[in-house]
Amino acid sequence: MSLNPVITSAASLQRLDGVAGVMLFKGRNTIHRQMPFSDTRADNLREIISQMLEGYRQVRRKIHQIYLEFDGGVLLVVLQNEVVMLFFLTSRADPDLAASAASVMLNDHAALLSSASAEAQPASQLPADGIEELVVTSPRALAQITEKAETTVNQWGAVRKCVEGVLGKVMGRAQASNLIQRTIDEAKIADPYRLSVTEVRKLAVSVIEHVPNTTKRRQLLVELDASMEHLKI
């Protein structure tokens, strides 16, 4: 079975702001890799991450995400069963946005990834259906793929920051975060990053509408409009 759809989706994640590299693997099978250093170093990194995850499995700890911050950047690992999506992020990146995008991608291709081998595969192969596997080996090849890739996520990460900033005028950060999550739960939204532009704006407004004071609520809605203007939402 061709992994072309998975590879295309994984490559599209590098379009997110601040993402310097991505790697998708299952066991020793590197499904997609586009990192800002050599393949040898990327393979070593995969081995180290795999050993770390095996340690957690041995003590029966189920891990969904790992966030490792270094002087040179951040390694973000998102897991789904045996499949690992790894990001190398710069300071410009929004880790929450990257993690949500990875979760969406892994869920969308769960069946295909479940059937994929965990053993090391040749760098290039010709499947039975005659379609050559897409293996990204250069920035130019990545550009050719991502030009055709559909946008995976919306701007909810940036909108949420706007909402938190506005709410910060009337409540603490933790309280604002809880209010946002409560609004998402009440609306039964599975993943706000998959909403349309109209739905994202509606969600942002509905959070502010929970503010009980009518005068303050009106003022906060005006400020929300102003803060989101540059996002074109």
Side-chain angles (χ1 to χ4, degrees):
M1 184 179 295
S2 172
L3 293 175
N4 287 349
V6 181
I7 294 171
T8 301
S9 294
S12 71
L13 296 181
Q14 193 148 355
R15 300 166 63 187
L16 298 174
D17 188 36
V19 175
V22 295
M23 181 160 54
L24 176 67
F25 62 92
K26 180 179 180 180
R28 297 183 60 83
N29 180 10
T30 300
I31 299 170
H32 172 70
R33 174 177 59 204
Q34 185 68 28
M35 299 295 280
F37 38 74
S38 69
D39 289 350
T40 300
R41 286 186 63 189
D43 286 337
N44 290 338
L45 176 60
R46 176 181 54 76
E47 289 293 336
I48 291 170
I49 296 297
S50 295
Q51 291 172 14
M52 180 188 303
L53 297 178
E54 182 58 31
Y56 283 113
R57 292 190 189 100
Q58 289 178 2
V59 295
R60 297 183 180 180
R61 293 291 180 88
K62 192 169 184 178
I63 304 296
H64 297 287
Q65 291 183 28
I66 297 176
Y67 180 91
L68 301 171
E69 187 171 359
F70 302 95
D71 291 340
V74 168
L75 286 179
L76 174 65
V77 182
V78 181
L79 302 95
Q80 186 181 80
N81 299 322
E82 298 179 84
V83 182
V84 178
M85 185 71 217
L86 184 147
F87 291 93
F88 179 42
L89 306 176
T90 67
S91 59
R92 298 196 323 273
D94 182 341
D96 290 337
L97 176 61
S100 182
S103 296
V104 169
M105 187 272 291
L106 293 175
N107 286 329
D108 285 350
H109 300 288
L112 190 56
L113 289 168
S114 178
S115 64
S117 173
E119 300 302 320
Q121 301 294 307
S124 180
Q125 57 185 353
L126 191 66
D129 58 9
I131 300 175
E132 185 175 0
E133 202 72 45
L134 295 177
V135 179
V136 179
T137 56
S138 69
R140 181 178 179 183
L142 175 66
Q144 292 173 343
I145 290 175
T146 55
E147 281 176 2
K148 300 177 182 179
E150 295 182 358
T151 302
T152 307
V153 295
N154 56 35
Q155 295 192 67
W156 167 243
V159 172
R160 177 172 181 139
K161 288 181 178 179
C162 289
V163 175
E164 288 177 341
V166 171
L167 288 175
K169 298 177 182 292
V170 296
M171 63 182 68
R173 181 175 181 180
Q175 193 176 2
S177 180
N178 290 336
L179 178 57
I180 292 172
Q181 188 57 51
R182 192 174 80 230
T183 305
I184 292 173
D185 293 340
E186 289 174 352
K188 297 181 180 180
I189 297 172
D191 190 339
Y193 288 97
R194 298 302 295 270
L195 299 176
S196 67
V197 173
T198 301
E199 291 170 332
V200 167
R201 184 173 185 84
K202 182 180 178 181
L203 174 58
V205 170
S206 65
V207 173
I208 303 299
E209 287 179 342
H210 279 82
V211 175
N213 186 289
T214 303
T215 302
K216 289 183 178 180
R217 183 170 65 246
R218 289 174 179 171
Q219 181 59 37
L220 293 179
L221 287 171
V222 172
E223 293 186 19
L224 178 65
D225 283 336
S227 65
M228 292 201 305
E229 185 176 353
H230 68 286
L231 297 177
K232 298 181 180 180
I233 295 293

